[in-house]
Amino acid sequence: MATARAHEPVLLDPKGPVITAIACTVGAALFLGAGGACAYVTVRTVADLDETGSGWVWVGVGLALAAAFTACVGLSTILFARAERQATLQLAALGVDASALVLAVASAPPTTDDYYQVRLLMRISGSGFEPFECDTEVLKYRFGSATQGTVLPARVNPVTRAFTIERPPAPPAPVAEGA
């Protein structure tokens, strides 16, 4: 007997229409340019198969494979950008307000572009869904002030368990003495 398993929770970085359009444009340029190059190199390599030495055939095969790989990267860029935008729109339409209680904070390795990160273990709860825990890495400059016990505002899609969290509230400004 099969049982329905809940989706794994995913921290979503919301994507706007402009970022999605840029990503899709870059992906389309890669896909169309490299796809055309792959087709051209393949046709030229097959057409010149008898006239060139076997060394040039392997160069043509290598170029065709590199162009095919680049075209696949372009296609996956388009598909990933569209999926992220769709998840963002779904979260905006179906999401419910929730709270994320920080259970633990630990350091995490930096990102590929050298941004420092922290690992947050959070319990997300709210109305309309079963509370769940999630362990995720976030940018330190956005969530570095979060400590154990900090409650962060969140928004959760109860169906897919995709969620967003907001920065912790800023500490209150100190009151000047004698004021």
Side-chain angles (χ1 to χ4, degrees), residues 14-25 81 84:
K15 298 293 188 245
V18 174
I19 295 296
T20 303
I22 291 170
C24 287
T25 302
E84 275 192 332

Side-chain angles (χ1 to χ4, degrees), residues 7-86:
H7 292 279
E8 291 294 319
V10 172
L11 178 61
L12 181 65
D13 186 15
K15 298 293 188 245
V18 174
I19 295 296
T20 303
I22 291 170
C24 287
T25 302
V26 169
L30 285 173
F31 178 69
L32 294 174
C38 178
Y40 175 77
V41 168
T42 302
V43 168
R44 286 294 303 223
T45 301
V46 171
D48 295 342
L49 196 58
D50 294 334
E51 298 172 11
T52 61
S54 64
W56 288 110
V57 170
W58 288 112
V59 170
V61 169
L63 287 173
L65 288 174
F69 175 77
T70 305
C72 288
V73 168
L75 182 61
S76 66
T77 300
I78 294 169
L79 296 176
F80 185 73
R82 289 178 47 112
E84 275 192 332
R85 179 65 181 153
Q86 185 65 30

Side-chain angles (χ1 to χ4, degrees), residues 33-136:
C38 178
Y40 175 77
V41 168
T42 302
V43 168
R44 286 294 303 223
T45 301
V46 171
D48 295 342
L49 196 58
D50 294 334
E51 298 172 11
T52 61
S54 64
W56 288 110
V57 170
W58 288 112
V59 170
V61 169
L63 287 173
L65 288 174
F69 175 77
T70 305
C72 288
V73 168
L75 182 61
S76 66
T77 300
I78 294 169
L79 296 176
F80 185 73
R82 289 178 47 112
E84 275 192 332
R85 179 65 181 153
Q86 185 65 30
T88 299
L89 292 173
Q90 251 186 351
L91 183 63
L94 304 174
V96 295
D97 291 331
S99 61
L101 173 65
V102 177
L103 302 174
V105 180
S107 63
T111 62
T112 55
D113 38 355
D114 292 330
Y115 287 113
Y116 290 104
Q117 298 187 114
V118 291
R119 181 180 295 275
L120 298 179
L121 175 62
M122 300 175 287
R123 179 176 296 123
I124 293 100
S125 58
S127 62
F129 64 94
E130 193 72 29
F132 59 90
E133 289 186 5
C134 184
D135 184 21
T136 188

Side-chain angles (χ1 to χ4, degrees), residues 169-175:
V175 178

